[in-house]
Amino acid sequence: MGLKSVVDDLWETAIAPSTKHAYDTGFNTFIRFLLMAGIINSVNLADMNVTENILIYFVAHCHNINLAYSTIKLYLCGIRFMCLKNDIPYPNNTNLCRMHAVLGGVKRTRRKVNRPRYPITFNILRDTCKYLRKNMNSFEDLMLETVCIVAFFAFLRCGEFTVNKQFDHNINLCFNDLIIANEHVLLNLKKSKTDPFREGVTLKLFKNGSEICPYVACCKYMAARQCQNPAPDDPLFVIASGQALTRTVFIARFRHVLECLGINSDCYNGHSFRIGAATTSSLVYLPDHLIKVLGRWSSDAYCRYIRTPNSSIREAQIALTSTG
């Protein structure tokens, strides 16, 4: 009996919480489809038997309700995982040729629209900070400035410094995750996209002597945050009410600042800081290996984040003629 609870716990931790949520949604959608189609009359996992034909019709159902190709694939992964977990018969992947062909049809009929994501370069960051300082009259202005600076210099993904739904001190940034040292601050990330096993990583943000300095910004913010008497496990970045900074709130307030600066904010989001840091690094000719270290990339994936201006492309093309 004791081992069963251990096995249940291991199933729960086999995948990341965000993946588990997506898998649960996919499997629940599948169950609703089976009930609606009359394939099953009640939810009895012990009597379920998933076949390729059922999966094909489920793909068609998802396509019919305008789910994206990537979402359908994710739901199929969720169904397979839940079948494995609950010992429900599921066809071997080599026997799903027809389903994959139908899934290919979904992909061809779904035209993918890539919405551009613009980078927050250092110049935009500087203008943002100047605006916030000029109009700073609240704790939230200081918080927003600090978040922007830290996100840029630490190459952070939005999910690494904001809360998606509810604050969880086990994965989100806490007050004691930011430590002020003599020449730098230490930022402890307990989880990230490339750290599925939550081994954690500690980032160093150094004094840089410029008007946009992560060390100075963090010192000012931590002094203000300390006045609120936070517990060590309380959220690091909070709004005036004391609630953890969510992704939605951060993006809304940051876009508002961009609009005040006369910048169309439609193509900027929380990931723009990471993209902007990579782009700026390339513009100042930082070595590739250093960009990878700063952004915690283990491959050449960082190249996707660099936005090359037309002027650089033009100069490169002109340089091609210099050998003639």
Side-chain angles (χ1 to χ4, degrees):
M1 194 68 178
L3 285 179
K4 183 181 183 306
S5 64
V6 174
V7 171
D8 290 341
D9 289 341
L10 292 174
W11 273 112
E12 288 297 310
T13 56
I15 53 178
S18 57
T19 304
K20 182 181 182 304
H21 176 74
Y23 281 8
D24 287 343
T25 302
F27 190 69
N28 290 335
T29 303
F30 181 62
I31 293 296
R32 287 195 297 271
F33 161 73
L34 295 179
L35 291 169
M36 180 185 67
I39 298 174
I40 61 174
N41 296 318
S42 62
V43 182
N44 187 353
L45 299 184
D47 295 334
M48 280 187 62
N49 182 25
V50 179
T51 66
E52 184 181 31
N53 276 340
I54 291 177
L55 293 174
I56 288 174
Y57 282 108
F58 176 68
V59 170
H61 165 72
C62 292
H63 175 68
N64 202 39
I65 61 175
N66 293 318
L67 290 183
Y69 167 76
S70 58
T71 302
I72 299 174
K73 282 191 65 177
L74 185 62
Y75 282 7
L76 290 171
C77 291
I79 294 168
R80 181 177 182 275
F81 179 82
M82 295 300 289
C83 285
L84 288 172
K85 178 182 177 181
N86 294 285
D87 200 21
I88 299 171
Y90 187 90
N92 189 287
N93 195 51
T94 56
N95 298 325
L96 293 174
C97 297
R98 291 185 301 129
M99 186 203 74
H100 287 300
V102 172
L103 196 57
V106 173
K107 186 176 183 180
R108 289 180 64 86
T109 56
R110 286 277 193 267
R111 183 180 178 183
K112 186 176 180 181
V113 178
N114 288 321
R115 186 178 181 181
R117 295 187 297 182
Y118 291 168
I120 298 297
T121 59
F122 181 76
N123 289 338
I124 296 178
L125 174 66
R126 181 181 56 206
D127 292 343
T128 298
C129 293
K130 285 183 176 179
Y131 174 84
L132 288 170
R133 290 171 188 175
K134 179 180 178 181
N135 297 276
M136 188 176 292
N137 54 14
S138 70
F139 169 82
E140 287 193 9
D141 291 332
L142 175 60
M143 180 274 297
L144 186 58
E145 179 191 352
T146 305
V147 169
C148 291
I149 293 175
V150 170
F152 179 85
F153 283 99
F155 287 65
L156 295 183
R157 302 173 179 88
C158 192
E160 293 172 339
F161 60 88
T162 63
V163 175
N164 188 23
K165 291 183 179 179
Q166 289 187 328
F167 173 75
D168 183 350
H169 71 272
N170 292 309
I171 58 177
N172 298 127
L173 285 176
C174 297
F175 180 74
N176 64 348
D177 286 324
L178 184 61
I179 300 173
I180 308 294
N182 288 332
E183 297 293 326
H184 59 266
V185 296
L186 301 173
L187 184 67
N188 176 40
L189 290 183
K190 293 187 282 286
K191 71 139 194 173
S192 64
K193 181 179 178 181
T194 55
D195 182 22
F197 299 107
R198 299 186 188 175
E199 295 178 353
V201 60
T202 299
L203 308 178
K204 291 183 178 179
L205 299 173
F206 290 86
K207 292 180 181 179
N208 59 25
S210 78
E211 59 181 333
I212 310 299
C213 176
Y215 181 87
V216 173
C218 287
C219 287
K220 290 181 179 178
Y221 176 74
M222 290 298 277
R225 184 77 175 95
Q226 186 72 57
C227 293
Q228 300 172 338
N229 298 316
D233 286 341
D234 282 350
L236 174 60
F237 296 120
V238 297
I239 58 178
S241 64
Q243 298 296 310
L245 178 66
T246 64
R247 180 189 185 96
T248 301
V249 170
F250 170 73
I251 292 177
R253 299 192 180 180
F254 176 67
R255 284 179 172 172
H256 172 72
V257 174
L258 291 180
E259 293 292 341
C260 291
L261 291 171
I263 299 173
N264 186 339
S265 65
D266 289 347
C267 293
Y268 291 92
N269 57 28
H271 219 66
S272 292
F273 289 92
R274 186 168 170 82
I275 299 172
T279 299
T280 304
S281 298
S282 176
L283 291 174
V284 298
Y285 304 107
L286 286 185
D288 291 352
H289 73 275
L290 195 52
I291 298 177
K292 291 171 69 173
V293 169
L294 290 171
R296 293 163 284 130
W297 283 290
S298 58
S299 66
D300 291 335
Y302 73 93
C303 296
R304 295 187 295 109
Y305 289 78
I306 297 174
R307 303 297 189 262
T308 305
N310 291 333
S311 58
S312 296
I313 296 175
R314 177 177 177 274
E315 290 172 7
Q317 291 174 350
I318 292 174
L320 295 175
T321 68
S322 62
T323 58

